[in-house]
Amino acid sequence: MRIVLGVTGGIAAYKAALLLRLMTEAGHEVHVVPTESALKFVGKPTWEALSGKPVYTDTFEAVEDVNHVLQGRKADLVVLAPATADSLAKAAAGLAPDLLGNILLTATVPVVMAPAMHTEMWEHPATQANVATLRHRGVHIIEPAVGRLTGADTGKGRFPEPEDIWDQTLRIMADAHTEKPLAGKHVVISSGGTREALDPVRYLGNRSSGKQGVALAEVAAQQGADVTLIAGAMDIPAPEHPNITVVHIESTRELLDAVLNHARAKDALIMAAAVADFRPATITSDKIKKQDGASAPTIVLEQTEDVLKTTVEQRAAGEPLPRVIVGFAAETGDATTTPLEYGRAKLQRKGCEILVVNEVGVGKVFGQDDNDATIIFANGSPDVPIKGTKTAVAAEIIDQLARALA
């Protein structure tokens, strides 16, 4: 494999030399392209000695070979490590001030970037917007590690260990050459919580963060699917990915309309949104005023639409809705019934093919980075317990969905 290793001007440039050694020892041909500032940390002789190849930094070097285009065209992989905040900004803007910038613009192969910078720089809205833009274009961004930074600082932004970067890069390359199980499929996923208006200011809602739905959308897209994400209220931004289209909704009625519209003629539907079961029977046009000495108003509730059950019923009536529908059940147990038992009853009532049962409560699932759930099946297949990060849980759900579609 022919690799272009771009190195930018951060203190972590010395670790890129270790990454280069891993690449060459694996038998790959590596062409190092440092920026001028990178050479202030690690000199050209080091890169040439470790790679066994000449090192160029300027667009006007080796012009007889059209080097600024040739390098990107001939590469099988481009890795930018470390990627500073400045280099991410330039790449997102499409700037090409040097040879490395030109290579990034001409490369049509997988591009992997490993950012390294201080925590404040990584968390700055400009950097996060640049990362989102690059990911939307298909660039693979390896999350920086948490740990000791330059000086006495500690936090997120540390350059990942070279072995971790190389392992993730190999997985990315393997995925690029592996047929995706959801290639050619279109999956609709709902995420976040619905909000039911009480007056122009207040609403009834729930604690859903949207993290699980976003993870499902990202994993489904990685597995080759075109994804429509129907997003309610979420604590995190909607994912930016070329295969993900985002539709925003607020109320349960809007969610039902969006599902029946966008899921038509699609392959699968995953209902991960936390849907409000009740809404105020009357919505006041003016804000309800708090008056001293007066009693609190009585709010009469009515049931909202059952989005999952309605979708299954309309499919049964002949509407062209997905043949595989995955529901979510956020349950709490009581003295006589476990959350899983409530989930089995719900699966039977709803009529979907797969149900993911979560035990919820304060500090459980909602807003957390981890999840603990059980996948149950209408066809009697054995239960699949899953526990881990929401991305890991999403991966198992998407795997079960792919099997059902197959």
Side-chain angles (χ1 to χ4, degrees):
M1 182 163 59
R2 183 185 176 107
I3 303 172
V4 170
L5 174 59
V7 184
T8 64
I11 186 62
Y14 79 93
K15 284 190 174 182
L18 303 176
L19 178 60
L20 170 59
R21 175 60 61 87
L22 292 172
M23 293 173 171
T24 56
E25 288 183 347
H28 302 293
E29 176 185 337
V30 186
H31 295 259
V32 182
V33 182
T35 62
E36 287 293 339
S37 57
L39 294 177
K40 295 181 179 179
F41 293 94
V42 181
K44 185 182 290 189
T46 299
W47 300 120
E48 292 184 334
L50 291 177
S51 68
K53 303 293 179 183
V55 169
Y56 302 106
T57 61
D58 193 276
T59 307
F60 296 100
E61 293 178 292
V63 291
E64 69 278 6
D65 294 326
V66 197
N67 197 38
H68 68 293
V69 174
L70 186 67
Q71 290 271 29
R73 282 182 178 173
K74 294 184 69 174
D76 300 301
L77 168 69
V78 177
V79 178
L80 187 60
T84 61
D86 180 67
S87 65
L88 293 173
K90 289 175 180 175
L95 299 178
D98 50 21
L99 179 59
L100 180 57
N102 281 269
I103 291 172
L104 291 173
L105 286 180
T106 56
T108 57
V109 296
V111 176
V112 178
M113 297 185 179
M117 63 198 72
H118 273 74
T119 305
E120 294 85 354
M121 300 175 75
W122 172 251
E123 293 178 347
H124 193 283
T127 302
Q128 290 301 303
N130 292 330
V131 168
T133 296
L134 291 167
R135 281 178 167 154
H136 182 70
R137 294 177 188 157
V139 175
H140 303 275
I141 306 290
I142 295 176
E143 287 286 314
V146 176
R148 182 70 177 268
L149 305 172
T150 306
D153 293 339
T154 299
K156 187 168 186 178
R158 177 183 173 88
F159 189 63
E161 293 304 313
E163 292 83 1
D164 293 336
I165 295 172
W166 184 230
D167 286 345
Q168 291 192 52
T169 301
L170 290 176
R171 286 198 294 271
I172 290 167
M173 293 301 291
D175 288 344
H177 294 90
T178 302
E179 184 175 350
K180 309 295 185 182
L182 293 181
K185 305 296 184 184
H186 196 131
V187 180
V188 178
I189 300 171
S190 68
S191 180
T194 60
R195 292 177 173 179
E196 307 299 330
L198 175 61
D199 62 21
V201 177
R202 305 178 181 91
Y203 61 85
L204 296 181
N206 55 58
R207 299 179 185 272
S208 176
S209 65
K211 291 180 179 179
Q212 187 63 80
V214 167
L216 284 161
E218 291 175 336
V219 172
Q222 290 166 7
Q223 295 303 317
D226 288 322
V227 178
T228 298
L229 179 66
I230 302 175
M234 303 196 304
D235 294 343
I236 60 174
E240 294 196 24
H241 188 283
N243 290 0
I244 300 177
T245 301
V246 182
V247 176
H248 293 281
I249 58 92
E250 182 166 295
S251 68
T252 302
R253 184 174 288 124
E254 290 175 353
L255 174 61
L256 176 60
D257 290 343
V259 167
L260 295 179
N261 179 27
H262 292 282
R264 291 179 67 84
K266 303 302 188 296
D267 298 286
L269 169 66
I270 303 177
M271 287 293 303
V275 182
D277 293 322
F278 303 96
R279 63 171 162 247
T282 301
I283 304 174
T284 63
S285 57
D286 299 317
K287 178 184 175 183
I288 300 173
K289 302 294 192 293
K290 179 179 179 180
Q291 298 179 354
D292 292 340
S295 59
T298 299
I299 300 173
V300 178
L301 300 179
E302 63 181 16
Q303 288 190 1
T304 58
E305 296 80 4
D306 190 324
V307 179
L308 179 57
K309 186 177 181 181
T310 300
T311 303
V312 173
E313 289 174 346
Q314 293 214 11
R315 181 182 64 179
E319 292 296 325
L321 292 163
R323 65 181 178 87
V324 178
I325 298 178
V326 181
F328 270 65
E331 296 290 350
T332 56
D334 53 36
T336 61
T337 309
T338 68
L340 189 56
E341 289 170 335
Y342 276 121
R344 296 193 195 284
K346 179 172 284 189
L347 176 63
Q348 188 171 5
R349 290 197 314 272
K350 302 293 186 178
C352 56
E353 285 65 47
I354 301 172
L355 192 72
V356 181
V357 183
N358 292 119
E359 182 178 1
V360 297
V362 177
K364 292 183 178 180
V365 180
F366 285 152
Q368 305 300 306
D369 293 327
D370 293 340
N371 201 348
D372 188 350
T374 302
I375 307 176
I376 59 178
F377 304 86
N379 65 3
S381 295
D383 297 349
V384 178
I386 43 176
K387 185 176 183 179
T389 66
K390 291 190 172 177
T391 299
V393 169
E396 182 62 43
I397 295 170
I398 294 301
D399 181 60
Q400 295 297 331
L401 172 64
R403 295 184 186 193
L405 288 172

